[in-house]
Amino acid sequence: MRYVLVGVSLVAAILVLTTAEAVAQPLPAAVAVDHDSAVSRLLDLTNTERDRMGLTRLALSPALQLAAQSYTTVLASSDCFAHTCGPVPNVVDRDAVAGYAGWWSLGENLAGGYPTPEDVIAGWMASSEHRANILSANFTDVGIGVASGSGRLRVYWAEEFGTRDQDSAN
């Protein structure tokens, strides 16, 4: 099965969480993902979508990268698939723990069961909420996580979006 969770977008600490199920399709028992190439490819695909709309390309943020990767690891190692799993269940707190401070806008896209970056970007772009995060002019930074696990969805993806105050960006 493939699932996407409706993207979370925070501006001035407003939080809305909902879920959406995508088209179900079984995955093989084990799915291997080349982490570095998957992250690089998903960043390229995300920025290609932004290019099509004349938006500024997102810069890979080490702090958001850490938050996204840590969270996909939580999803891949548990039975929970939501924006509120694990020992740090709040996206604001997860991004802060990872070192992303001084933000004024945050967002998160999650997906599970998509074996390739091309599949996950297609799923997110077909969802109005995920598409809105990817194409938001409010975001300048991104972190991308991908993890394989033994859970029902096998492969888990996250994009953490943010924008920090200029003074906090250094």
Side-chain angles (χ1 to χ4, degrees):
M1 294 203 166
R2 296 180 183 182
Y3 291 88
V4 293
L5 286 179
V6 172
V8 174
S9 185
L10 294 105
V11 177
I14 298 171
L15 177 63
V16 178
L17 296 175
T18 56
T19 60
E21 184 175 329
V23 176
Q25 184 173 348
L27 285 176
V31 176
V33 176
D34 178 346
H35 177 272
D36 292 345
S37 64
V39 167
S40 177
R41 181 69 178 139
L42 188 53
L43 176 62
D44 183 55
L45 292 167
T46 297
N47 277 326
T48 296
E49 295 296 340
R50 292 177 64 85
D51 290 345
R52 289 183 182 145
M53 300 304 293
L55 297 167
T56 303
R57 295 175 69 84
L58 297 172
L60 200 59
S61 159
L64 290 179
Q65 186 72 12
L66 176 60
Q69 188 58 47
S70 296
Y71 200 57
T72 58
T73 301
V74 166
L75 296 175
S77 63
S78 72
D79 290 330
C80 186
F81 182 66
H83 290 279
T84 56
C85 301
V88 185
N90 182 297
V91 64
V92 172
D93 295 335
R94 286 194 303 269
D95 290 349
V97 166
Y100 199 77
W103 61 270
W104 63 269
S105 184
L106 287 176
E108 178 176 77
N109 283 352
L110 301 177
Y114 293 89
T116 69
E118 290 79 9
D119 293 330
V120 75
I121 197 74
W124 281 336
M125 292 305 288
S127 160
S128 60
E129 292 86 358
H130 293 92
R131 181 183 176 90
N133 275 346
I134 290 168
L135 299 179
S136 174
N138 289 331
F139 297 132
T140 58
D141 302 324
V142 69
I144 296 170
V146 59
S148 298
S150 59
R152 62 189 168 93
L153 301 177
R154 309 279 196 279
V155 181
Y156 299 83
W157 302 86
E159 280 186 322
E160 299 287 327
F161 302 95
T163 300
R164 297 192 287 186
D165 297 325
Q166 284 298 92
D167 294 338
S168 301
N170 299 321

